[in-house]
Amino acid sequence: MQFNLTEDQQAIVAAIEKICARFDDAYWLERDREGGFPHELHRTLADAGWLGIAMSPEYGGAGLGMTEAALMMRTISGSGAGLSGASAVHMNIFGLNPVQVFGSEAQKQRFLPPLIAGRDKACFAVTEPDAGLDTTHLKTQAVREGDHYVLSGRKIWISTAQVANKMLIIARTTPLDRVQKPTDGLSLFYTDLDRTRVEVREIEKMGRKAVDSNMLFIDNLRVPEEDRIGEEGQGFHYLLHGLNPERILIAAEAVGLGQAALARATSYAKERVVFGRPIGQNQAIQHPLAQAWMALEAANLMVMKAATLYDAGEPCGAEANAAKYLAAEAAFQSCQTAIATLGGMGYAKEYHVERYLRESMIPRLAPVSPQLILCFIAEKVLGLPKSY
Ligand SMILES: Cc1cc2nc3c(=O)[nH]c(=O)nc-3n(C[C@H](O)[C@H](O)[C@H](O)COP(=O)(O)OP(=O)(O)OC[C@H]3O[C@@H](n4cnc5c(N)ncnc54)[C@H](O)[C@@H]3O)c2cc1C
């Protein structure tokens, strides 16, 4: 068991901190007010080669593991960029995992280098309005016509679709009533986001204004067969493969967000003097901050355990889910505590913690809800009957 970062890992954290220092609080405050994708951060990370951190060197990646990717994402979020920064590159880091693992050599050559170089931006289209967390009941259909498929349906909450030129999308190729298991008959495609066939309508939302989330209305989108990843009908199984890395990364981002909030609250508590002494001298201020630190540290250990298991090729479903749950809750508590510590100023935009709180709801809700994680742990770890 090793709890210290290696020299290389420390160097990754330092390099990302240096890049993020160029994007200060004023930058993120403006993005939060005005919206607008943080293209500058995306471009800077791409130019320095960071978008391919966990991709194979044959395609321009750095060939590092999920542990290093998690450190990178925690550092971006923890810099104060929060989810506004992390979500701008999140999809690049984990999203094409199914292509890397299940794609053909030609697909990897075609798809991975432009994504790593930042020339392509991809979105990830799974969630549907009428299916929610019950993914196997999604309604988007892909009908085969000769050497291509025709896709129609609706997706919801698809992040970065305003700026993406590519999408990884799951659709049903065999109707639900003609498959043995509901997880069969779904296929995965990585294809062009053709705006003549896909209407992208932004959803006005609570936070992370810089990184859009959208409804997609897909109307007879032609997708060539060579854009199908792996075998027809196996898409759900390929998607599952990428779920653990996604949970690990969003958990790392949540830890970073919580740490950013805690750092602001702690420094404010040292300086703000009321009743003739710093408010941080009061235990009622100290204790919630100490609790936030402990919860974030514990969540971080679970993130690192899950990432280490993943990198070793070992099962990590329980740990990745637990990490996502613990980190999201710890981040939320930390952000809430930060607002309480700053008092009225916690509610003012210029102190940033209210933005962090709004952003901390994202890892609580997505990509899977806390309730469903508890159901998963109850079933898969504790052996209780499946409840959903
Ligand atoms: C900011 C943001 C960005 C997102 N980005 C993307 C994206 O890029 N791509 C994408 O595909 N999706 C994205 N999502 C969607 C996200 O993954 C879903 O919102 C999430 O999976 C929950 O699905 P739902 O909203 O349909 O909830 P529902 O399935 O409608 O569930 C609603 C509530 O009911 C609970 N519930 C349902 N069934 C049960 C049960 N059996 N037992 C206990 N509780 C239950 C859930 O836990 C949840 O609390 C994003 C969401 C947000 C908010």
Side-chain angles (χ1 to χ4, degrees), residues 28-86:
W28 294 113
L29 184 58
E30 193 187 332
R31 294 275 78 69
D32 188 53
R33 281 189 179 134
E34 312 295 333
F37 191 81
H39 288 288
E40 303 83 357
L41 175 73
H42 178 270
R43 170 58 37 219
T44 309
L45 288 165
D47 287 349
W50 290 109
L51 297 189
I53 186 167
M55 305 261 197
S56 165
E58 291 156 79
Y59 311 106
L64 297 172
M66 209 35 65
T67 308
E68 287 74 19
L71 288 171
M72 168 176 155
M73 298 310 286
R74 189 186 76 197
T75 308
I76 293 175
S77 180
S79 72
L83 272 281
S84 296

Side-chain angles (χ1 to χ4, degrees), residues 314-327:
E314 292 183 33
C316 66
E319 290 79 5
N321 276 283
K324 203 296 283 198
Y325 180 98
L326 294 171

Side-chain angles (χ1 to χ4, degrees), residues 124 126-127 132-133 157-159 208 213 365-367 369 371-372 388:
F124 189 49
V126 178
T127 308
L133 288 157
W157 283 115
I158 310 312
S159 297
R208 206 193 64 182
S213 295
L365 298 169
S369 70
Q371 291 84 359
L372 266 277
Y388 58 97

